[in-house]
Amino acid sequence: MSEIPETASGVVWQSSPPGSIYDYIKVASFSIGPDGLVDQWSRRAVDLFGITPDEVRGRDPIEVFMPAELRPRGHRKVAEILDGKEWTGLVPFRMPGRGGAHGIAEVYVMPSETERGERAALCIVVDVRALRRIETDLAASQAIFGQSPFGFLLFGTDLTVQRANQRFATVFGGSADDHRGRTVHDYLSRPEAERMNASLRRVLETGESAIDLQIVGSAPGSADRRHWSINLYRVHSGSGHPIGVAGLGTDVTRRQIAARDAASARRNLALLNEASARIGNSLDLETTARELLDVAVPGFCDLASVDLYLGLLTGDEAPPGRADGSAELRRVAFASAVSDAPLVTTPGCRSEGSTPTAVGEVHRYPFNSPCASALRTARVQSIPGEEGTLVQSTLAVPMVAHDTVVGLVQFSRTKGSEPFGERDRALATELAARAAVCIDNARLYRREHERALILQRSLLPPGDPEAAGLDIACRYLPGNTATEVGGDWFDVIELPGHRTALVVGDVMGRGLRAAVAMGELRTAVRTLALLDLEPAEVLSALDEIARGLGSPSGAQQASRVAHKSRDADLSEVYLATCVYAVYDPVTRRCTFANAGHLPPVLVEPGEEALLLDVPPGMPLGVGGEPFEEVEVELPEGALLALYTDGLVESRDHPLDEGLRAFRTALTDPSRPAPGHHPSTTALRADLSRSLEDVCDHVLNTLDTRHGEDDIALLMARVQGLPAEAVGDWRLPREPRSVGRARELARAQLITWGLEVLVDTVELLVSELVTNALRYGEDEIRLRLLRDRTLVCEVWDAGLVQPRRRRARDTDEGGRGLQLVGLLSAAWGSRRTPRGKTVWFELALPDGDSMAEPTVEQLLSMF
């Protein structure tokens, strides 16, 4: 806006402001002298007619502008004007630059006088086209501005409202004229008004339009939050000067609600997808509860907690269901996305004076509380927050699995968050149901796991096993609750002659069926061991038993062929590996047989650990191949280790690496086993360590990845029976050998200080030697062994096994074995490579007199 310096009178003259009507209407002027010729020609006339002053000055305007047919009339009108008459009319004229096209001008002619008093005229010319265009634009503008269904505002350069349409006035009250002079602060909250003002100023200064500016506010007299989409653009005058900013506002509240609902639906679907991926990855109940809260907080709510029935956690067969909702629960998980909100108790769900429930705490909900109602009815309860508390609202959602309520989850939102809606209730129910199913599955699995574990442990040797000539230590580590129970087992079985059977096995498969199969095989091993069979014979018989475990009892061969595929599937779980070893403490020799199991490890004094070369054979249940035996002499102090694959094999390292690490751990306890390969000269066994320490060191050193598989470890240190604890004699096959046997036995017992057993031993030795002379072959061998008990063995080359029978009253013999059975703690016979051995066992005296057989017991033999 330009200014002219002040005049003498102090008045300041200014040009027309931006937006003046003259910017839009083309007004031109010229004058006609007394001679009827043009004497003045304005610049706007040049623009309108396209004729320069030189071309028109001094010429007849009628001849210049008007068509020939209208000129006579034009001359008459000019004459009348020069006579002092005014005239207004429409005059056609040639338009400049339009190839001879004609326009229409509205001419206003006013008579005037020259300085000499002569008649002249002043002509004002307006382009009729511009006027019609302005009329049309004004009509269109009024139609758009006044009849628009959207709110329309025109802001001036001072950012006040210059004009508002009726739609805007309908929303904000009053008439359209009432809003003139107002600012955005009269309609919006301070933050929103400042944001709107900044946008108006930016549009006015830069000319860049603002599209879809989101504004939130409330209409007068209404508390509802409305959303408006505002479009702003700068408005210019005809000369191009900015004169303000136009604003078009659209109510998009419904669109915002729809968008929010769509976003909520997408969020809920994303939460459900995340819940499917993250909830139930563990078979631990507490972990599953925490996984639920990890999904819900903060994606769904600000605070959350999970309570489970105490009976569910303690392993009750049937957890409380929809009883009265007041059973004991334990808080197993809590999560908060608000730093200053530790523990929150839901209103109405706490006893008077009670404090918030901490994780791990056992509590009850009052009978009339919303939480107890949710548990009792298995329906979601909405609980509003209390005044002065952080929580705005809470959803108490029962966790229902298979029509059984297992617990309660509470989702809470703090004040300032969006309140829960129906869609949120449905999502909360779905999240709780998914977690409930996982928790119930974990409960069922835990119950089966515990049962299998109880069964498995009940079948393992109780306490610390003892054996003659062996120091034994063992370890059994079951898989954790996330891993099914396996079929690993070990056993230490006492055999006649102070010999010991060492057994380690592993049933392929997991779970209760594997534990049951393990129990059946272990029982079969014990039964076969008591028959005193050779190790290879034990495994062969065990293989037959294993193959029968997977088939229906008593099935005929034809039926087995007909159902071959089904039987194969059933028997697959009963495949097993096993090492069976028999140790004789007198000779310190151990006989091994292997059914597909890992080789035993032997550590001799001062040497490195070695894998014994025992032919592995086929696993039990496969059949078709005989098992081989290997006999190894074990030096005094040697260490023998039997184990299952869980100790040396995992997904993280191959079997060879695990075996190497195991040997290193057995050899040198000071060196870490995994990843280290010391020189063989440094690998020397330290056998002065206690066997229990060796077991602990092995388990602590190896990377067993415990929990992935069961681990069974059986270790035995060879001690052997001392020579002074063994009496061994060979007797000729002649009658006097009976007396000689009694004398040798008496002398040996006196040497051992066992005089109290002399009479019994003499009697029983006489019976066994007599039977050997009567029914046996070749020479006779007598052996006495003293360890924890006293064992007497009589060997001969005969293959006929003695059989105990009841003698008739008239029989002179046949009562010897009855007497042996009556007076001994145990007796039996076993085959040997070159005959048989008959033995009996007596308990060592403990200071009290030995109980003599009663008269009734003696008479019962006759």
Side-chain angles (χ1 to χ4, degrees):
M1 190 179 297
S2 62
E3 294 185 354
I4 300 175
E6 295 185 1
T7 65
S9 62
V11 177
V12 178
W13 296 88
Q14 296 180 340
S15 64
S16 62
S20 171
I21 189 64
Y22 297 107
D23 289 337
Y24 299 95
I25 302 175
K26 294 183 178 180
V27 179
S29 65
F30 63 91
S31 61
I32 301 175
D35 54 1
L37 303 177
V38 176
D39 61 356
Q40 290 184 355
W41 189 258
S42 69
R43 291 183 178 179
R44 291 212 176 191
V46 175
D47 295 335
L48 178 61
F49 296 107
I51 301 175
T52 66
D54 294 337
E55 293 175 332
V56 73
R57 192 181 293 122
R59 297 185 61 184
D60 185 351
I62 301 302
E63 298 294 331
V64 173
F65 303 117
M66 296 188 68
E69 65 272 12
L70 297 177
R71 289 173 186 172
R73 183 182 175 188
H75 284 297
R76 289 195 302 271
K77 291 295 182 183
V78 171
E80 292 176 357
I81 292 170
L82 293 177
D83 285 340
K85 293 182 180 181
E86 291 186 0
W87 178 79
T88 301
L90 298 177
V91 177
F93 67 94
R94 289 190 296 273
M95 299 177 63
R98 295 293 185 91
H102 290 76
I104 297 178
E106 185 174 20
V107 181
Y108 177 45
V109 182
M110 298 173 289
S112 64
E113 292 183 357
T114 66
E115 294 178 355
R116 294 188 294 270
E118 297 176 320
R119 300 287 181 90
L122 177 64
C123 301
I124 305 298
V125 183
V126 178
D127 188 350
V128 175
R129 283 187 313 119
L131 289 175
R132 298 295 177 265
R133 186 167 60 249
I134 290 174
E135 291 175 355
T136 303
D137 290 348
L138 286 174
S141 175
Q142 182 61 32
I144 294 173
F145 199 82
Q147 301 173 23
S148 171
F150 310 115
F152 220 136
L153 287 176
L154 180 62
F155 295 90
T157 55
D158 58 354
L159 303 186
T160 61
V161 176
Q162 300 297 314
R163 190 177 178 186
N165 70 344
Q166 188 56 44
R167 176 60 182 168
F168 182 86
T170 301
V171 175
F172 286 94
S175 65
D177 292 338
D178 294 337
H179 295 276
R180 294 181 184 274
R182 294 185 181 181
T183 67
V184 292
H185 288 276
D186 296 316
Y187 308 106
L188 302 173
S189 63
R190 184 175 179 179
E192 291 290 271
E194 291 178 351
R195 194 160 66 90
M196 180 74 173
N197 251 349
S199 297
L200 286 170
R201 191 172 294 108
R202 185 168 56 252
V203 171
L204 186 62
E205 293 174 354
T206 65
E208 295 181 1
S209 300
I211 306 299
D212 197 21
L213 177 65
Q214 297 294 316
I215 297 295
V216 179
S218 299
S222 174
D224 295 338
R225 289 165 57 90
R226 311 298 295 177
H227 295 262
W228 291 288
S229 172
I230 306 296
N231 296 318
L232 302 176
Y233 58 92
R234 192 168 68 182
V235 179
H236 303 85
S237 67
S239 61
H241 295 291
I243 61 174
V245 177
L248 178 65
T250 306
D251 190 333
V252 294
T253 304
R254 291 185 179 180
R255 189 173 72 189
Q256 287 291 329
I257 294 175
R260 185 172 64 247
D261 289 345
S264 176
R266 288 193 298 270
R267 181 200 64 190
N268 292 351
L269 288 174
L271 278 173
L272 288 176
N273 183 57
E274 184 180 5
S276 300
R278 297 180 61 181
I279 299 176
N281 293 323
S282 169
L283 289 172
D284 180 76
L285 290 94
E286 291 83 355
T287 302
T288 302
R290 289 193 295 270
E291 291 171 346
L292 168 62
L293 299 194
D294 290 341
V295 172
V297 180
F300 177 68
C301 62
D302 302 313
L303 304 166
S305 63
V306 177
D307 300 317
L308 297 180
Y309 277 119
L310 187 61
L312 181 85
L313 298 170
T314 55
D316 287 353
E317 183 69 20
R322 304 179 185 177
D324 61 358
S326 60
E328 287 188 327
L329 301 105
R330 177 180 292 162
R331 177 68 50 85
V332 296
F334 175 81
S336 171
V338 185
S339 58
D340 57 349
L343 298 175
V344 177
T345 301
T346 304
C349 289
R350 60 175 179 268
S351 301
E352 187 174 352
S354 65
T355 58
T357 305
V359 175
E361 187 175 337
V362 177
H363 65 101
R364 298 175 184 267
Y365 288 117
F367 178 80
N368 294 323
S369 66
C371 293
S373 176
L375 291 168
R376 185 167 55 250
T377 62
R379 295 181 179 178
V380 180
Q381 299 290 322
S382 296
I383 309 171
E386 292 180 338
E387 289 294 331
T389 62
L390 181 70
V391 175
Q392 177 199 70
S393 61
T394 298
L395 292 178
V397 187
M399 305 178 72
V400 183
H402 311 300
D403 296 328
T404 300
V405 178
V406 299
L408 183 77
V409 56
Q410 299 180 58
F411 302 108
S412 300
R413 288 181 179 174
T414 56
K415 293 178 179 177
S417 298
E418 185 178 348
F420 290 112
E422 286 300 319
R423 195 186 306 260
D424 295 322
R425 289 170 62 96
L427 176 62
T429 303
E430 180 65 22
L431 289 175
R434 294 193 180 198
V437 171
C438 295
I439 286 175
D440 194 52
N441 290 339
R443 176 185 68 86
L444 296 174
Y445 176 80
R446 175 185 287 184
R447 184 180 65 185
E448 180 178 348
H449 185 274
E450 290 176 351
R451 288 178 177 177
L453 194 59
I454 291 172
L455 172 63
Q456 192 176 43
R457 286 177 173 172
S458 67
L459 296 173
L460 296 175
D464 296 326
E466 295 181 354
L470 291 176
D471 181 17
I472 295 179
C474 50
R475 294 288 187 275
Y476 175 74
L477 301 179
N480 56 35
T481 55
T483 306
E484 290 188 273
V485 171
D488 294 14
W489 91 91
F490 67 90
D491 208 346
V492 178
I493 307 171
E494 293 186 54
L495 300 178
H498 286 314
R499 293 171 305 129
T500 303
L502 304 176
V503 188
V504 168
D506 183 2
V507 176
M508 299 181 187
R510 296 182 180 276
L512 190 58
R513 295 186 67 193
V516 170
M518 179 272 286
E520 293 177 317
L521 291 177
R522 178 181 178 271
T523 301
V525 170
R526 280 191 158 265
T527 302
L528 294 171
L530 293 178
L531 297 177
D532 213 354
L533 302 176
E534 295 298 322
E537 294 177 327
V538 170
L539 292 186
S540 296
L542 198 62
D543 177 64
E544 291 290 337
I545 294 173
R547 279 187 287 166
L549 290 179
S551 302
S553 177
Q556 299 298 322
Q557 186 67 28
S559 176
R560 291 178 181 176
V561 173
H563 301 282
K564 182 177 181 181
S565 60
R566 179 173 61 87
D567 289 347
D569 293 339
L570 289 173
S571 62
E572 184 177 355
V573 77
Y574 294 110
L575 293 177
T577 62
C578 180
V579 168
Y580 186 88
V582 174
Y583 171 69
D584 188 340
V586 178
T587 62
R588 292 200 312 276
R589 301 187 70 83
C590 188
T591 304
F592 296 91
N594 189 354
H597 202 80
L598 295 173
V601 176
L602 179 65
V603 186
E604 296 186 8
E607 300 294 334
E608 60 182 272
L610 297 175
L611 297 176
L612 292 181
D613 186 14
V614 179
M618 298 298 292
L620 301 175
V622 175
E625 293 293 333
F627 297 97
E628 300 182 42
E629 292 181 358
V630 173
E631 189 176 64
V632 179
E633 183 174 351
L634 305 180
E636 187 77 17
L639 191 64
L640 180 66
L642 306 179
Y643 51 94
T644 57
D645 56 0
L647 183 67
V648 295
E649 186 177 21
S650 75
R651 291 174 297 180
D652 296 337
H653 57 75
L655 178 60
D656 291 345
E657 183 179 331
L659 288 173
R660 183 168 55 251
F662 180 36
R663 292 169 54 199
T664 303
L666 286 174
T667 301
D668 189 352
S670 64
R671 296 179 181 271
H676 186 76
H677 306 286
S679 63
T680 56
T681 58
L683 296 176
R684 294 294 181 266
D686 179 10
L687 299 180
S688 63
R689 294 174 293 166
S690 73
L691 210 52
E692 296 292 334
D693 291 342
V694 175
C695 287
D696 292 338
H697 171 72
V698 168
L699 294 178
N700 293 333
T701 302
L702 295 183
D703 181 18
T704 59
R705 305 286 295 176
H706 180 50
E708 291 183 358
D709 196 2
D710 292 5
I711 294 175
L713 175 62
L714 176 60
M715 303 188 72
R717 177 168 287 151
V718 176
Q719 296 174 343
L721 286 181
E724 59 271 16
V726 179
D728 193 354
W729 307 276
R730 296 182 182 274
L731 302 173
R733 188 173 184 78
E734 54 188 31
R736 62 179 183 175
S737 293
V738 177
R740 179 59 179 164
R742 287 198 299 268
E743 293 175 0
L744 294 172
R746 172 185 289 271
Q748 186 64 66
L749 291 177
I750 294 175
T751 302
W752 287 341
L754 300 177
E755 291 86 350
V756 68
L757 299 179
V758 168
D759 293 341
T760 302
V761 171
E762 281 188 333
L763 177 60
L764 299 184
V765 166
S766 296
E767 291 296 332
L768 294 186
V769 174
T770 299
N771 283 343
L773 290 173
R774 180 176 300 178
Y775 305 109
E777 299 177 5
D778 296 337
E779 65 176 354
I780 300 171
R781 184 177 180 183
L782 173 65
R783 188 166 72 170
L784 293 179
L785 308 174
R786 179 178 64 85
D787 192 67
R788 289 174 292 114
T789 61
L790 178 68
V791 174
C792 176
E793 298 178 336
V794 175
W795 176 89
D796 69 83
L799 298 178
V800 178
Q801 296 290 322
R803 181 172 59 89
R804 183 177 178 180
R805 62 182 179 86
R806 187 172 184 85
R808 295 188 296 270
D809 294 342
T810 58
D811 291 343
E812 296 183 0
R815 299 179 178 85
L817 293 181
Q818 293 187 45
L819 186 63
V820 172
L822 179 64
L823 297 180
S824 65
W827 79 277
S829 66
R830 66 176 183 275
R831 290 181 299 170
T832 63
R834 294 182 296 107
K836 66 178 181 296
T837 297
V838 184
W839 58 271
F840 66 84
E841 184 176 357
L842 295 175
L844 298 180
D846 55 3
D848 300 331
S849 58
M850 296 286 292
E852 297 292 336
T854 64
V855 174
E856 288 78 8
Q857 290 175 324
L858 292 174
L859 291 178
S860 67
M861 295 185 298
F862 296 93

